[in-house]
Amino acid sequence: MTNKVTSALQKDGLLTRQQVQQLQQFSGGNVIDFFRTEKIPLEQSIDQYLRERHSLPVVCLDQVVLDPDVVKKLPQALCLEHLVVPFHSEGQTLYVAMAEPENTDIKHFIQTYTGMTIVPYLSDVQGIRQVIRTTFDTTADDDRRQIDELVTRATSLGTDPEAMAKEAPIIQLLDHFLAHAMRLGASDLHLEPTDATAMIRLRIDGLLHDTFTLPLSLHAPLVARIKILASMRIDEHLRPQDARFVFTHTDRSIAVRVSIVPALHGQKVVLRFLSTDIENFSVERLGMASAAQNAVKKMITAPHGLLLVTGPTGSGKTTTLYSMMNELRQRKVNISTIEDPIEYKIPGVTQVQVNPQVGLTFATGLRSLLRQDPDIILVGEIRDRETAEIAIHAALTGHLVLSSLHTNSAAAAVTRLLDIGIEPYLIASTVCGVIGQRLVREICPKCKQVIPTTAWPEQLQSAEPAPTTHAVGQGCTTCLQTGYRGRAGLFEVMPMTEQIQQLVMQRATATAIENAAVVNGMRTLRDDARLKVQQGLTTPQEVIRVLL
């Protein structure tokens, strides 16, 4: 029908030949969406024009009173994939809004699936997606409604925080907050008091979102409830406390690391959610290009050497280290770690927690581990010259050492070691490779849309021609209207080649080392970012936010 519509509109003089060609390449919807996006002048709406001038079955869904039961006659996945929405039924007749009503295959499938006679109507893609979002994405609204009811019940319990913490409304309220955070894929939950209220904030895909505002009277009972779960001192209000507990929801368990510190208006609580399923950690699941993945696997099979993972805080270094560790532990080797903090528990691995209060630092812990007959050692982070020297010594004496550094690129890791006083010959002879990485938000699959690329950012330009289209997220309830859901890694993997060893001996700059690595085949973070934009995983704007 849309081809007939295009021909009719061209015959009416509403579309030029050039506009028809643009429409054929338009990825933002069908002919109705094209008219609205391009703002083609018309005295009436395009859907009304098609109905009145050409007697075509066209429906504008925002002008129809929809029955959710009718819409749900088809499953959400089918509606999203084929952009169809049932909007009315009479007896055994089902009226269906479709982006492509001439698609006989999907019409036949819907008729078979529902057992009803199908009457197709042309409708705009944006309207169809909006109906799908508002009809099916009700989980967040249900969460908020239940939480509002629990807040009302909890505020009437009394004024004793410790007693309130043992009452059902407070217990259920915290459980709802934790379950809500898990459903949204949050990495952290912040409970923080202000002078008048208590705030629940969730860190989702690296960014904090204000989620709930609570009466200040509920802050202390919720803190007390968290302390009970984490076996903390419930009467301690003036000193920081750290602990962890396991939360189970709908057969899924997650470890929760608790940090509580005294602040101006009361105790600030941060809960970090950690997966308990270490089996899912693997190099294959990190999202590296095949060449980079092969290079990493070659590095971790080396009998000895120092392998570094670099990037700023929150760039996914720990996940990469644990993924490599999880593969290494399958062998008959002795693996030990010194960490601050221990993020995940790994079966079969000796894990040591840094504790400066008793003199257990990265350096002292690493010295002790070297007397434990290790084959592989994970040092959570190299922060100073002493730790770096011991790690280098361990690599020189036949151990494989994995660690992390806070630098902006893989090449900068080498110059960082030089800056803290490590001799060039030691770096050249022990470092087997460096992985540089970042995390970018992925486009939400539920509201993902491909649009024309009008201006390719200068920061992402290369010798290759700029793409003509790229994907964006329109924003929906699933992604909190951000257009993003989940995160993907950007990686650069730099093996220590002979050429780079020579540059290290010459104390070359990070730029010179990176240029040599690129000549040897390294894909830089920016190159990997361009690829992931072209693959539709993320957006140019997100890459620029993270990298530049």
Side-chain angles (χ1 to χ4, degrees), residues 142-340:
D142 291 343
D143 279 350
R144 188 169 294 275
R145 185 166 50 253
Q146 292 176 23
I147 286 171
D148 287 343
E149 292 174 359
L150 288 169
V151 166
T152 301
R153 291 170 53 196
T155 50
S156 63
L157 288 175
T159 57
D160 182 355
E162 293 185 22
M164 293 170 66
K166 299 172 184 177
E167 296 288 341
I170 291 294
I171 295 172
Q172 293 171 1
L173 185 59
L174 180 61
D175 286 352
H176 271 75
F177 286 142
L178 295 174
H180 183 70
M182 288 174 64
R183 273 194 289 271
L184 293 178
S187 61
D188 302 83
L189 182 150
H190 291 227
L191 170 59
E192 51 191 73
T194 67
D195 57 349
T197 62
M199 295 290 300
I200 297 289
R201 307 172 76 194
L202 297 179
R203 187 174 296 280
I204 302 171
D205 300 333
L207 299 180
L208 271 176
H209 299 264
D210 293 345
T211 311
F212 297 100
T213 301
L214 306 172
L216 186 58
S217 60
L218 296 184
H219 172 260
L222 285 170
V223 174
R225 175 59 187 163
I226 291 169
K227 289 180 176 180
I228 290 171
L229 287 175
S231 300
M232 291 173 150
R233 283 191 56 182
I234 198 169
D235 59 342
E236 178 59 74
H237 307 292
L238 301 179
R239 294 181 181 179
Q241 294 190 72
D242 296 284
R244 62 169 62 205
F245 64 91
V246 174
F247 176 70
T248 302
H249 175 68
T250 59
D251 297 328
R252 180 189 171 198
S253 293
I254 193 163
V256 183
R257 197 178 76 214
V258 185
S259 172
I260 301 179
V261 297
L264 176 63
H265 298 293
Q267 296 173 91
K268 164 75 181 288
V269 181
V270 175
L271 307 180
R272 166 65 59 89
F273 303 118
L274 305 168
S275 173
T276 57
D277 190 4
I278 190 68
E279 298 295 338
N280 288 329
F281 284 63
S282 69
V283 174
E284 287 84 357
R285 296 190 179 189
L286 291 173
M288 293 180 179
S290 57
Q293 186 182 124
N294 292 336
V296 170
K297 290 204 167 189
K298 184 176 180 181
M299 291 174 189
I300 64 176
T301 56
H304 54 82
L306 176 61
L307 174 55
L308 296 170
V309 181
T310 72
T313 300
S315 59
K317 300 187 297 295
T318 299
T319 299
T320 298
L321 286 169
Y322 273 86
S323 296
M324 294 188 292
M325 190 68 63
N326 194 41
E327 293 202 8
L328 289 167
R329 75 182 178 92
Q330 310 299 333
R331 307 171 191 172
K332 294 181 179 180
V333 289
N334 179 16
I335 303 177
S336 298
T337 76
I338 176 76
E339 306 172 63
D340 185 23

Side-chain angles (χ1 to χ4, degrees), residues 389-440:
E389 287 177 338
I390 301 170
I392 292 281
H393 173 73
L396 277 173
T397 54
H399 305 89
L400 178 62
V401 181
L402 310 181
S403 190
S404 69
L405 272 176
H406 286 277
T407 62
N408 290 326
S409 67
V414 175
T415 55
R416 171 66 178 151
L417 291 175
L418 290 170
D419 290 342
I420 63 176
I422 305 301
E423 291 297 328
Y425 76 92
L426 290 174
I427 299 172
S429 58
T430 58
V431 175
C432 57
V434 186
I435 302 169
Q437 66 181 77
R438 295 291 191 282
L439 289 177
V440 292

